[in-house]
Amino acid sequence: MTRHAPAVTAGGGASAGGPPPADRDLPAGDPTATASAPPAGVGSGTAAGGARRGGSLRGAVPLAAAGLLANVANLGVTLVIARQMSTRSYGAVAQLIAVFFVVSMPGSALLVGVVRRVTIWQHTGRPDLLDGWVRRIRRAGVATVLVVAVLAVAGRGAVAHELSLPGPGGIAEIIIAGAAWCLLCVDRGLLQCARQYGALAANLLVDAGVKTAVTIGLVLGGLAEAGAAMGVLCGVCAALLHTRRALARHPQALGMPRPDLPDSPGAPGTPALASPTPAVAERTSPELACPELACPDGITPGGTSFAAVSVPVAGESTPDTGRAPAAGVASRRLAVEVGAALVALGLLAVLQNVDVLMQGRLAPGRSGSYAAVSVASKVLVLAAVVLAGFLLPETADRRHLGQHALHQLGATIAILLVPAAGLLTAALVAPDTLLALAFGSRFTDASGALFPLAAAMTCLGATVLFTHYLLALGERGVLLALALAAAVTVPLLWWADGDPAATARADLACQAVLAVVTGLSVLAAARRTAREATGRPAGRMVQA
């Protein structure tokens, strides 16, 4: 099994070594592979830039294509159920979907933590720690889903009352689906770290296919909102089974042992990575070169995270870090990182869905028409989330090599702008026709909100990519920008008083400013990476 490693220049082109070849296949479990570089002066700047862009696009395009097909499937669901439901009932479905996105945010935050931790272990030659850690995370996740299921069934009536929904149908199912999504995110994070983008793309299609079939069947059977919620739950469960099978087929892509091969690295009774390869030993400190001295949670004996270790090349001395174990430090560090990601992605979920929730509360009679505009526009945000599945591991990986991932970021934004341009053009030229074709003539009352909301969601899609980039670097300053944006957006939407066009315009103003601020934060982080790369001896990893 091999994996492709898209290449970028270290520190934004500051490295003397130049970029590694973009078409090079690397062993999936080899922690030394991504750290190697060709001799200085290899290739021209133009060729290198083209190779980097080509590598980025080859990694992102399968996910983008799968995301496009998944969105087409969602559109097919919309075309069917919107004609079977009243506008009020369809508005309730939109509110349930918004609840799902909010409840599922802890899973997306956990995915960030999984990618960051696994990347550290891959770069320090410790994938043997991964199997037991994943088992513990999965057991805790199953227990959490069961607890959430009990609470969701008990509290569905209260939630329906607070959201002014027609009834409690579908609330428990959608909340359980959000909790199960957290388990799915763990496995998707592992697929991302293994660079199994094909399997990840297939997983998106499994989710969309099952959800489409179940939703249409149950809604046509008369279950309305409950049928739509059950479709989401079934899609998540099917995707979870698919990821487990995909990871079981290719465990060595992460350096995990294969149970059927007792001599595989990390298998029981086999001293996996007990003797690092020369390439690993050459660029690791004495503590990291001896796995028996490394704590199980990815901590050096002195209590410093692997991500924060300056790793010298051969011949450099390493200061004494002591021998006191600090097994709890890694757990605390991971909790902080996951907590920061949870807050950031939770705020993104609020920014994505607060307009629908506010519209449903302030003007329930117009929620169906606004929901049609919202569904059409927020396809762009869902596309950005899909593309973040490529951007997150690539950014984390290059951070540990002292490189930025602006080329990968640029590729994902370029892909996102293609559907955004099409939607904005249609929303400007013929919004009523677009909504009538997709949803029926009953849902065209809020057509004036389509263009500003599509522009707002384009900005939010860029913010989603910028935020994942910064989270992959361990940057927490983005939390302040997101929090301020949410704090300003909520009262502005409240003052819009349920008017669809005013709501969309207020949302656009907030999202545009937020996209500019987070984009500038990304550029500042890239400049810091470049300065660190030029001021650091070759072979060192930067602090995370």
Side-chain angles (χ1 to χ4, degrees):
M1 173 60 64
T2 60
R3 66 178 175 88
H4 176 74
V8 295
T9 56
S15 170
D23 292 326
R24 179 184 176 192
D25 286 334
L26 302 175
D30 183 3
T32 69
T34 57
S36 61
V42 175
S44 66
T46 302
R52 290 193 299 271
R53 287 188 293 272
S56 301
L57 289 172
R58 280 191 293 273
V61 164
L63 285 179
L68 175 62
L69 292 175
N71 284 324
V72 169
N74 288 334
L75 178 60
V77 171
T78 298
L79 293 174
V80 174
I81 68 175
R83 287 167 169 77
Q84 297 297 317
M85 295 180 173
S86 66
T87 56
R88 180 69 187 98
S89 183
Y90 185 74
V93 171
Q95 288 178 274
L96 289 177
I97 297 301
V99 170
F100 169 78
F101 281 120
V102 173
V103 174
S104 66
M105 275 304 105
S108 300
L110 183 59
L111 187 150
V112 174
V114 168
V115 169
R116 282 179 57 79
R117 169 159 288 203
V118 174
T119 300
I120 290 171
W121 281 338
Q122 288 175 331
H123 278 272
T124 53
R126 298 312 312 271
D128 55 307
L129 301 175
L130 185 57
D131 188 47
W133 183 71
V134 169
R135 291 177 187 274
R136 293 193 298 271
I137 291 291
R138 285 173 173 171
R139 284 197 299 267
V142 170
T144 301
V145 171
L146 294 177
V147 172
V148 169
V150 173
L151 295 176
V153 172
R156 56 184 177 176
V159 174
H161 175 73
E162 288 299 320
L163 295 179
S164 301
L165 291 170
I171 292 176
E173 292 88 344
I174 208 72
I175 292 176
I176 295 170
W181 180 268
C182 299
L183 282 173
L184 176 61
C185 284
V186 172
D187 290 344
R188 283 185 172 177
L190 296 175
L191 287 175
Q192 290 176 23
C193 291
R195 305 302 195 276
Q196 296 290 319
Y197 297 126
L200 187 58
N203 189 250
L204 297 176
L205 297 178
V206 168
D207 183 6
V210 172
K211 180 172 65 177
T212 298
V214 174
T215 299
I216 291 176
L218 294 181
V219 170
L220 292 180
L223 292 184
E225 306 98 271
M230 185 62 71
V232 175
L233 177 58
C234 290
V236 171
C237 292
L240 183 58
L241 292 175
H242 177 268
T243 56
R244 296 291 173 90
R245 290 176 62 109
L247 290 168
R249 284 196 300 269
H250 306 294
Q252 289 178 309
L254 282 165
M256 294 173 66
R258 287 183 56 182
D260 57 326
L261 295 179
D263 293 332
S264 66
T270 302
L273 299 175
S275 299
T277 62
V280 174
E282 180 184 13
R283 58 186 180 86
T284 54
S285 65
E287 290 85 355
L288 298 184
C290 298
E292 65 272 16
L293 297 180
C295 299
D297 283 318
I299 301 298
T300 63
T304 306
S305 166
F306 284 152
V309 173
S310 294
V311 183
V313 294
E316 282 192 309
S317 62
T318 303
D320 184 14
T321 57
R323 289 291 183 268
V329 176
S331 297
R332 289 194 296 272
R333 181 181 179 87
L334 181 63
V336 170
E337 292 178 351
V338 172
L342 174 59
V343 173
L345 298 176
L347 290 169
L348 285 173
V350 169
L351 290 167
Q352 179 184 352
N353 298 290
V354 67
D355 60 327
V356 174
L357 297 175
M358 295 283 283
Q359 183 73 25
R361 183 173 181 84
L362 296 173
R366 308 180 73 176
S367 62
S369 298
Y370 188 84
V373 173
S374 175
V375 168
S377 301
K378 291 178 181 178
V379 166
L380 301 175
V381 181
L382 300 180
V385 172
V386 169
L387 291 170
F390 163 78
L391 181 63
L392 180 66
E394 296 294 330
T395 305
D397 185 59
R398 276 151 183 77
R399 174 60 171 167
H400 286 285
L401 299 176
Q403 303 169 354
H404 64 64
L406 290 182
H407 298 287
Q408 285 74 12
L409 175 62
T412 57
I413 291 178
I415 293 173
L416 178 66
L417 288 178
V418 173
L423 179 59
L424 287 169
T425 301
L428 184 63
V429 174
D432 292 282
T433 303
L434 177 62
L435 292 173
L437 288 174
F439 301 93
S441 57
R442 294 176 300 154
F443 292 89
T444 60
D445 292 345
S447 60
L450 183 56
F451 181 79
L453 191 59
M457 292 304 104
T458 300
C459 296
L460 183 58
T463 298
V464 167
L465 294 174
F466 295 151
T467 300
H468 279 81
Y469 186 101
L470 294 168
L471 289 176
L473 302 181
E475 298 278 349
R476 301 189 189 112
V478 68
L479 299 180
L480 179 60
L482 295 173
L484 290 175
V488 172
T489 300
V490 171
L492 285 179
L493 296 180
W494 185 272
W495 291 332
D497 198 28
D499 179 77
T503 298
R505 287 194 295 268
D507 204 13
L508 173 58
C510 296
Q511 303 294 356
V513 173
L514 179 61
V516 171
V517 171
T518 53
L520 292 175
S521 299
V522 166
L523 294 178
R527 284 196 296 269
R528 285 195 296 273
T529 300
R531 288 196 299 267
E532 291 169 356
T534 54
R536 185 178 64 253
R540 285 188 183 273
M541 289 191 292
V542 299
Q543 293 189 352

